[in-house]
């Protein structure tokens, strides 16, 4: 993005609206409370926060001024997203029904957003409630469930790594780590943290539980573990 964005300060503040669901969610990726002005935006924040491809994101990122029929107009996209591969996106989030009903008005905003994106080396994308992830209730359950897990250290990761090759499921891994059910209550928190970071890979299209099959395990060295897991929770990273 040619225009420098302040990831700690949106270009537009979201006002309280008693007709829509508004509020704020804490984001580790943004290291602050991120605002939303619809239930759909809130759910997409959870997806952005969970998606391992997303480096960071900003709500209400920039305001684009334009003219229509001789009048000055303003348009603020819902989000800016920076991916880890360097790709950048301006995002508009809309219910599919609203998109159809209001398209005659929205198309002018979208046109200036595309023009702005082309000039600033990013892409403009519209996301709706028909997104495949959004329509998968099991996936959304898993996202909400896993985002609360953030506790692990390298020694525990090493221990799990030493035992996981013998296991086909989360339950088998727990039994391999300890036969003590109380200790298993501690280990499951670490395991879900590794699932959250996709170090332990499960089929997230199905609702996960202790019976879930382990599909893959990422073998990180200490430096990689620091970068991909521990640094994620550093509060000064942005």
């Amino acid at each position: 993005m040619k225009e420098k964005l302040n990831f700690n300060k949106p270009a537009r503040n979201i006002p309280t609206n008693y007709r829509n669901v508004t509020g704020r969610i804490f984001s580790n990726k943004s290291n602050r409370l991120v605002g939303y002005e619809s239930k759909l935006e809130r759910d997409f924040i959870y997806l952005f926060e969970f998606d391992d491809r997303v480096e960071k994101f900003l709500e209400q990122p920039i305001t684009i001024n334009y003219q229509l029929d001789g009048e000055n107009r303003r348009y603020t996209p819902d989000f800016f997203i920076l991916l880890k591969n360097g790709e950048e996106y301006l995002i508009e989030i809309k219910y599919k029904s609203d998109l159809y009903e209001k398209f005659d008005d929205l198309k002018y905003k979208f046109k200036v957003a595309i023009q702005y994106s082309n000039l600033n080396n990013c892409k403009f994308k519209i996301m709706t409630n028909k997104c495949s992830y959004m329509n998968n209730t099991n996936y959304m359950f898993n996202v909400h469930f896993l985002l609360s897990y953030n506790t692990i250290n390298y020694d525990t990761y090493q221990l799990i790594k030493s035992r996981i090759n013998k296991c086909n499921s989360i339950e088998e891994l727990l039994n391999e780590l300890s036969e003590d059910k109380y200790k298993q209550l501690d280990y499951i928190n670490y395991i879900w943290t590794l699932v959250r970071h996709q170090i332990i890979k499960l089929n997230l299209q199905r609702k996960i539980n202790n019976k879930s099959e382990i599909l893959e395990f990422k073998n990180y060295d200490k430096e990689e573990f620091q970068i991909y897991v521990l640094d994620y929770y550093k509060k000064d990273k942005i």
Side-chain angles (χ1 to χ4, degrees), residues 33-71:
L33 292 169
V34 174
Y36 59 87
E37 52 186 342
S38 72
K39 180 180 179 298
L40 187 61
E41 285 187 19
R42 182 193 66 189
D43 289 344
F44 268 107
I45 290 173
Y46 287 125
L47 288 179
F48 299 154
E49 188 72 11
F50 185 75
D51 192 334
D52 193 49
R53 298 169 299 175
V54 176
E55 177 71 23
K56 52 187 175 180
F57 58 94
L58 171 66
E59 82 278 25
Q60 308 294 310
I62 50 98
T63 297
I64 306 170
N65 297 302
Y66 68 102
Q67 282 200 332
L68 180 64
D69 298 331
E71 295 184 7

Side-chain angles (χ1 to χ4, degrees), residues 16-211:
T16 301
N17 188 326
Y18 296 102
R19 293 178 297 176
N20 295 323
V21 177
T22 61
R24 296 189 295 172
I25 301 170
F26 184 79
S27 162
N28 275 295
K29 289 182 177 179
S30 299
N31 191 27
R32 62 177 179 81
L33 292 169
V34 174
Y36 59 87
E37 52 186 342
S38 72
K39 180 180 179 298
L40 187 61
E41 285 187 19
R42 182 193 66 189
D43 289 344
F44 268 107
I45 290 173
Y46 287 125
L47 288 179
F48 299 154
E49 188 72 11
F50 185 75
D51 192 334
D52 193 49
R53 298 169 299 175
V54 176
E55 177 71 23
K56 52 187 175 180
F57 58 94
L58 171 66
E59 82 278 25
Q60 308 294 310
I62 50 98
T63 297
I64 306 170
N65 297 302
Y66 68 102
Q67 282 200 332
L68 180 64
D69 298 331
E71 295 184 7
N72 293 326
R73 306 285 182 93
R74 293 159 62 88
Y75 169 55
T76 306
D78 293 318
F79 291 96
F80 170 82
I81 293 178
L82 172 65
L83 301 186
K84 289 179 180 178
N85 66 6
E87 291 182 9
E88 299 176 339
Y89 291 87
L90 286 177
I91 304 291
E92 177 69 21
I93 291 175
K94 281 280 183 288
Y95 287 99
K96 200 70 175 271
S97 58
D98 288 343
L99 193 61
Y100 285 132
E101 291 173 11
K102 303 175 182 178
F103 188 75
D104 284 345
D105 294 326
L106 292 171
K107 64 184 179 183
Y108 300 106
K109 295 179 178 181
F110 297 163
K111 182 178 179 180
V112 298
I114 292 169
Q115 291 171 343
Y116 179 93
S117 298
N118 290 339
L119 291 172
N120 284 274
N121 299 325
C122 65
K123 300 174 183 177
F124 177 67
K125 188 171 184 177
I126 301 168
M127 294 182 169
T128 76
N129 54 309
K130 298 302 181 180
C131 163
S132 58
Y133 290 133
M134 198 71 66
N135 282 316
N136 188 320
T137 56
N138 289 333
Y139 187 85
M140 293 304 296
F141 170 87
N142 294 334
V143 167
H144 286 274
F145 172 72
L146 290 171
L147 280 174
S148 62
Y149 288 94
N150 58 13
T151 303
I152 196 165
N153 56 52
Y154 185 68
D155 289 340
T156 304
Y157 167 72
Q158 285 283 83
L159 174 61
I160 292 172
K161 182 166 71 170
S162 69
R163 307 291 177 84
I164 197 168
N165 286 337
K166 304 175 183 179
C167 307
N168 294 314
S169 69
I170 299 298
E171 184 176 57
E172 289 181 17
L173 178 57
L174 284 170
N175 290 330
E176 187 68 28
L177 290 167
S178 177
E179 295 180 357
D180 186 326
K181 297 301 180 183
Y182 291 102
K183 288 185 178 179
Q184 287 185 5
L185 292 175
D186 289 329
Y187 282 124
I188 192 61
N189 292 318
Y190 304 133
I191 290 170
W192 290 137
T193 297
L194 294 179
V195 175
R196 184 258 175 278
H197 286 283
Q198 300 181 52
I199 294 172
I200 294 176
K201 199 164 188 178
L202 309 179
N203 182 359
L204 297 182
Q205 304 301 317
R206 298 179 179 178
K207 188 177 290 188
I208 58 175
N209 54 45
N210 287 7
K211 301 289 186 182

